[in-house]
Every structure is written in C-alpha cells, then in structure tokens.
Amino acid sequence: MEVNHPAPLRLLELAAHSLLSNEASVLLVLEQLTVNLFPPLLTAAFAKGHRKALKALVQAWPFPFLRLGSLIVQWPNQDSLQAVVDGLEAFSAHRACPRKSELRMLDFTLDSEQVHSKGASEALAKFPFWLPSTVKAEMPQAVARPKPTENMKKGPKQPWEAVEIHIDLFLRGPFKLDKFLSSLLTKVEQSHGALHLCCRKLHIEEMPFHSLLGILKTLKLDFIQELEVFDWFDWFWALSDPNLSATQLGRIFNLRSLKLIYYNWAFSSRGERPSSYFLSQLTRLGHLQKLHLSYSYLSGNLHYVLSCLWVPLHSLEICYCRLLDTDITYLSQSPHTTCLKKLDLSGNNLSYMIPRPLGTLLREVSGTLQHLDLNHCRLKDAHLSALLPALCRCSHLSSLSLSDNPISSACLLSLLEHTTGLMELKQVLYPIPVDCCMYLHGLSWGPVNKDKLCQLQAEIQKQLQAMQRADMQWSPPLPLLMQLVQFE
C-alpha cells in the first residue's frame, strides 16, 4: 500500500483529520478502525507530525506494504520519520505474542517521478544520508527471494517472520550518524533478525573504515544491487585483507552495478598482487552487468580485472585509467564484446590506438553497442577519419560523445555526413572545433569564437534537414550550448 493521494480532501481524509484533532482518541479506537481509514490517517499524522499516532499506526498497519517515499518528499519532517522508526520497536524476534501488524515491507525509497518532483531537493537536504533510487530494479530472477505481493491473502504472521526495511543510502565522511539513521540501525540490531535492512543502492565516499564496517554488518548485503565507492586510498590496506572488505564484497553476490573511483589498484610483475584478494571476490559477482572504473592506474593490467568476470558486461566505463593498447586489444578479444551496450573510454589517450586496436574493438561491439563516449581522448581529424568505417558499422548506436577532442569543423561535418545512415543515432555531443578555440594538453582552452561556432551549428542543422534527419540532435558541451542560445 503506497500512501499517496491528490487534493482536495476526500471524505475519508476529512475523517482522519477529525480523528487526529484528539490524538489520544486515535490510540483508543485504533483496533476498531476499518482498514480503508489507515492510509489517510497515516498521511495526516505524517503531515502534522503526530508522533504517538504514527507509532501506533505502524504497529497496527493492516497491509503487507507501507511505502513512505511520497510522504517524505511532501513533508520532509524529521520527527515524523523518527516516529515511524519508533513504531518498529514492537517488531522483535523475542515477542511471545503474535503481532497486530500485517506489515512485511517498509519502503523509504523513491521512484523516478518522485525523484524529480519539487520537494525532492528539500528532502535530500534534510536527510543527506538518503539516496533516492532513480530505477526500481528487480532482483535477478535466478536468485530473487520470494516476495509477498500486494494482493496477497492476509493472515496472521508468524512470530519470527522478518519485516524488510528498504532504504538507499549515501554515506559520506567525515561521518556522524544522522539521528534518524542511527535510530534505525539500532532498531535493526536490537530486533535480533526480526527486521532486515535492505539497501538496493549504496554510495560510499571517504568513509572511515570502522564506521562503515559497522553499517555493513547491519545491512542485508545480498540485497545490494548498485554499489558506488569513491576515494579508496585509505581503504587500500583493508581491500588487501581477505578477512575484511574483500570478504564483504564477495557477500554482495546479487550486485548488478559496481562503480569504483580513485581505487588504488596494485599489480606486480612478479605475480604477487596486493589486489589479488579483492580480485578473487569479483569472480563471485555472477550477476554484474555494469562496471565503472575511473581515475585508477590500470596501464597494461585491465585483463586482471576483466578476466575475473565470467558473465559478459552490458556497460563498461573505464575513464582516466591510463589505458595502453594492450588493454584495448585484450578488451576487443574478451567475451564482453558480445553484450556491450555502453562503452566509455573517456580520459584515455587513444590517439596511437587507431586504426588498431580501437577500430577492431568497435567492430567487435558493433552488433550491440548503443552508447559510445570518447571524450578527451586526444583524437584529431586523421584519427576520427580512420575510425569512420568501424563507427559506421555500429547500427544500434543511439548516442555518441566526442567532447574535448581537437577536431576541425570540416571533420565534424564529414562525420555528420557518414553517420546520418545510422538511423538509431539520435544524440551527438561534438567538441568545440580547433578552428573555434585553442587546445592545450588535449583540452579546449581560452576564449571561444562564438561566431564561428554558431555558423557551424547552423550548417549542421541545414545538413540534418537536407538529409531528413531532424530527429538527430547535434550539440556542443551543455554550458556552451546555453551560451550559444543566449548569443543568438
């Protein structure tokens, strides 16, 4: 049951507000209330911060599901959230009597519409630990645990039946536990298994290891599907210990997306790899589909990482990792090329890998590739021209990004002419041409000649119209695009 309804107030809502005018009366008549009065009553109590009523409503909730995301966005009230958590104290494995509540899942997450609603930014400001999910991904079918359905037949719950609490977390150091989060973790620990804390998406940034380890012990690790970790330099000793974080990673075996930023990979030519314990845990991630590695020194060692993944990836982002031609060669020969839909090699110097091995890689992924990002790869006119045959074979390509490459306007127009035949290609992000600005170390630098850039944009639009590809959008980097709109 998701608690969300439009204005104006309906009759049931008016009844709920009337009841809450005397909060004590709600507690007295709660067991006699009809079930259809519970949702509007909880909404009104949450909006007005009636803590006693909220606590009692949670403990007597007559439905299997209670989703609070929409209420948090509308009324980001710390006291109301705390009251909901206080209501969980009745859920204990040590209770001898059956619970009144039919609650099986308490959900604090948001759907994509709620994330983009007006109140989302205010809610996130008040609860900085709270990470809204933009995608409601299901567990992989082969490993998904049985879950109750919304229309399931209700009945008395077994005294030991666990309640799942769904919340996605943003954990950032220096770390001090938020009052709500601290209380929630305490309730889960004290429930002795009656409450399961389920986090689908977990973001970790500069967290002290001892603080994080305590939180990980509280989470149901097999529920995590998206893991993002930033700044692992202080973690390096822990990642090299088979008894600590590597073991934790191996327990997140339903992981579908892994993002590591600034991870200090350590490889040795003598075969002794301090990262070997961590790499051995990657073999246990049998459902991983997306891998993102950024700002990590991987030169010549990409095969150590990819060879641990025995299921082909759908998305691979290796940005600013100082890749060598041997890395691209290995990737082009790996099983991952059979399924890749997204490939991002931005921030690596690819200028000496053309036509091979980069062209070979593009030919290998041409049957599935939909998104290609080659930003800041030091590509010039000759490089792009040499890549065109392989690029034009990517018949499913829908987006192409080439920002921060020193390419001329003439070469970009040639690229347009050759790629208009890719009927699924809808978005192209092109760099500021070298005839419109200066480049330094592969990056655009200094003032931009907006007159020339506007002329190029006009010519691109003219050619798109002539080729009947008005559905294809070509644009420079977004900040500059906004300036061009104002300039015109």
Side-chain angles (χ1 to χ4, degrees):
M1 170 68 66
E2 181 165 3
V3 183
N4 188 20
H5 53 270
L9 293 180
R10 300 175 298 178
L11 185 60
L12 282 175
E13 294 162 352
L14 290 170
H17 282 277
S18 177
L19 268 174
L20 285 170
S21 62
N22 184 354
E23 191 171 6
S25 66
V26 177
L27 305 181
L28 292 174
V29 302
L30 199 57
E31 292 188 6
Q32 283 74 46
L33 293 178
T34 59
V35 295
N36 59 345
L37 191 54
F38 271 76
L41 193 57
L42 185 132
T43 298
F46 197 97
K48 299 298 182 181
H50 293 287
R51 295 190 58 170
K52 292 181 180 178
L54 277 172
K55 179 179 177 179
L57 285 165
V58 171
Q59 294 176 348
W61 193 248
F63 306 103
F65 292 81
L66 175 53
R67 293 189 170 93
L68 296 175
S70 60
L71 297 188
I72 297 173
V73 170
Q74 292 179 64
W75 302 286
N77 189 312
Q78 183 81 263
D79 288 339
S80 294
L81 270 184
Q82 187 60 50
V84 173
V85 173
D86 290 342
L88 297 174
E89 65 188 21
F91 299 89
S92 171
H94 293 320
R95 285 178 59 87
C97 59
R99 305 173 192 153
K100 303 177 191 176
S101 177
E102 292 295 333
L103 187 63
R104 277 125 167 119
M105 186 184 81
L106 176 61
D107 191 355
F108 293 102
T109 64
L110 298 184
D111 59 31
S112 57
E113 291 183 4
Q114 292 165 342
V115 168
H116 297 99
S117 62
K118 288 185 178 179
S121 58
E122 182 182 354
L124 291 173
K126 288 195 175 184
F127 311 116
F129 63 86
W130 184 47
L131 183 69
S133 293
T134 54
V135 178
K136 287 285 187 180
E138 293 295 330
M139 300 281 281
Q141 187 174 2
V143 296
R145 299 185 301 273
K147 296 193 297 185
T149 56
E150 300 238 15
N151 58 357
M152 65 184 294
K153 182 179 179 181
K154 294 189 297 180
K157 295 195 319 181
Q158 298 301 318
W160 292 89
E161 186 176 348
V163 174
E164 290 188 351
I165 303 170
H166 291 206
I167 185 169
D168 295 331
L169 296 175
F170 185 105
L171 303 177
R172 183 185 228 166
F175 188 68
K176 182 180 179 181
L177 270 181
D178 173 272
K179 180 182 177 182
F180 163 75
L181 183 57
S182 177
S183 177
L184 180 60
L185 294 174
T186 300
K187 290 289 190 301
V188 172
E189 288 176 335
Q190 294 177 349
S191 74
H192 300 284
L195 298 175
H196 289 172
L197 193 56
C198 302
C199 179
R200 188 189 68 82
K201 185 172 184 177
L202 177 61
H203 178 106
I204 303 166
E205 190 168 328
E206 298 180 342
M207 275 284 292
F209 180 71
H210 60 88
S211 299
L212 180 60
L213 193 59
I215 295 176
L216 289 178
K217 288 179 179 178
T218 308
L219 296 178
K220 292 286 293 181
L221 296 182
D222 62 338
F223 195 86
I224 299 174
Q225 295 188 40
E226 297 180 51
L227 177 62
E228 300 177 348
V229 186
F230 286 63
D231 287 343
W232 283 37
F233 289 117
D234 294 335
W235 275 49
F236 177 64
W237 66 273
L239 289 171
S240 303
D241 190 326
N243 298 314
L244 294 175
S245 58
T247 305
Q248 297 286 349
L249 180 64
R251 291 172 58 198
I252 311 177
F253 49 78
N254 285 326
L255 199 64
R256 303 183 77 176
S257 175
L258 176 61
K259 178 182 288 189
L260 302 179
I261 313 295
Y262 297 113
Y263 175 53
N264 187 17
W265 298 96
F267 303 98
S268 170
S269 59
R270 292 175 295 181
E272 299 175 358
R273 304 193 303 276
S275 292
S276 59
Y277 289 124
F278 176 73
L279 290 170
S280 69
Q281 298 302 305
L282 291 180
T283 62
R284 303 182 65 181
L285 305 182
H287 300 281
L288 192 68
Q289 295 180 351
K290 301 178 181 179
L291 178 63
H292 179 120
L293 307 173
S294 290
Y295 299 99
S296 304
Y297 189 81
L298 277 172
S299 299
N301 293 296
L302 182 62
H303 63 285
Y304 285 128
V305 180
L306 295 184
S307 62
C308 295
L309 305 173
W310 51 276
V311 175
L313 294 168
H314 290 183
S315 175
L316 179 60
E317 301 173 66
I318 317 173
C319 307
Y320 298 92
C321 289
R322 302 184 185 182
L323 296 181
L324 300 180
D325 54 349
T326 53
D327 296 312
I328 301 299
T329 298
Y330 175 81
L331 178 57
S332 68
Q333 298 171 352
S334 75
H336 300 289
T337 58
T338 61
C339 295
L340 273 185
K341 296 180 180 180
K342 180 175 182 178
L343 178 62
D344 189 347
L345 299 175
S346 299
N348 297 288
N349 183 4
L350 304 179
S351 61
Y352 68 97
M353 304 184 194
I354 297 171
R356 290 185 296 271
L358 185 58
T360 304
L361 173 60
L362 290 182
R363 284 193 294 273
E364 292 298 323
V365 299
S366 61
T368 57
L369 192 64
Q370 298 176 9
H371 307 281
L372 177 62
D373 292 346
L374 299 176
N375 305 308
H376 190 203
C377 291
R378 305 201 178 192
L379 302 180
K380 298 181 180 180
D381 289 9
H383 304 130
L384 192 57
S385 298
L387 275 183
L388 279 177
L391 193 60
C392 290
R393 295 182 59 174
C394 300
S395 56
H396 299 290
L397 196 65
S398 63
S399 70
L400 174 64
S401 185
L402 296 168
S403 180
D404 278 321
N405 285 293
I407 299 170
S408 69
S409 296
C411 186
L412 288 175
L413 292 174
S414 175
L415 174 66
L416 184 151
E417 181 181 356
H418 283 84
T419 56
T420 49
L422 298 176
M423 302 310 297
E424 295 186 27
L425 183 58
K426 306 296 183 183
Q427 292 186 325
V428 177
L429 180 67
Y430 66 83
I432 305 171
V434 289
D435 41 303
C436 295
C437 72
M438 293 182 60
Y439 272 77
L440 183 64
H441 302 300
L443 292 170
S444 56
W445 188 264
V448 176
N449 189 324
K450 293 181 181 178
D451 285 328
K452 285 188 175 181
L453 194 55
C454 282
Q455 291 174 13
L456 173 62
Q457 184 67 22
E459 181 61 28
I460 287 175
Q461 295 304 316
K462 180 181 177 181
Q463 289 199 25
L464 288 174
Q465 291 291 338
M467 297 176 184
Q468 298 183 342
R469 286 302 311 271
D471 61 324
M472 185 186 288
Q473 181 181 352
W474 278 60
S475 59
L478 186 58
L480 190 57
L481 177 61
M482 300 301 295
Q483 293 180 30
L484 288 180
V485 172
Q486 295 174 357
F487 184 74
E488 291 176 344

